[in-house]
Amino acid sequence: MPDISTNKVVRVIFLAREYGPESSQLHNYISNLNDEEAANLVAIMWVGRDSFEPEDWAEALATATTEATAPTENYLSGIPELPDHLEAGLEALGVDVTDAEDHFRDR
């Protein structure tokens, strides 16, 4: 299971939807994640776009960790479907985002 707070992933989704995947707001937020959180974010996105199955989570995370050659914020900003892939990844992994979504909507 992902080792990044659901709130952080939902924040990335909201920023990508509100400002776009190439926005400075999203770029800055992702650049402040630690290496472990960044790898988890990439692995969630990969599961969401069907590069890995949910049951292959450990492999997705290991691959995200070992293949991190560019800054994560640069890699993810080039993916127009980023918020959709992240949502699909969380859903596939069985992560309930209701509370996190409510938190951001109430702001």
Side-chain angles (χ1 to χ4, degrees):
M1 288 283 95
D3 192 18
I4 181 175
S5 84
T6 305
N7 284 347
K8 288 183 179 183
V9 180
V10 169
R11 177 124 175 112
V12 169
I13 292 168
F14 272 70
L15 288 170
R17 287 224 163 98
E18 186 169 345
Y19 300 105
E22 296 182 10
S23 70
S24 62
Q25 293 89 339
L26 180 63
H27 189 276
N28 292 339
Y29 186 78
I30 294 173
S31 71
N32 285 316
L33 297 175
N34 66 40
D35 291 343
E36 185 176 327
E37 292 170 328
N40 274 266
L41 191 64
V42 170
I44 292 167
M45 190 274 302
W46 284 344
V47 169
R49 75 172 186 196
D50 297 324
S51 297
F52 289 88
E53 295 298 320
E55 55 270 13
D56 298 325
W57 171 254
E59 181 184 353
L61 184 57
T63 303
T65 301
T66 59
E67 292 186 6
T69 57
T72 304
E73 58 274 16
N74 293 345
Y75 171 64
L76 293 178
S77 69
I79 302 171
E81 304 87 5
L82 176 63
D84 296 331
H85 292 325
L86 289 173
E87 273 189 349
L90 289 172
E91 184 177 329
L93 292 165
V95 177
D96 182 9
V97 299
T98 306
D99 289 340
E101 286 179 337
D102 290 344
H103 172 76
F104 287 103
R105 283 193 185 109
D106 292 341
R107 286 185 163 188

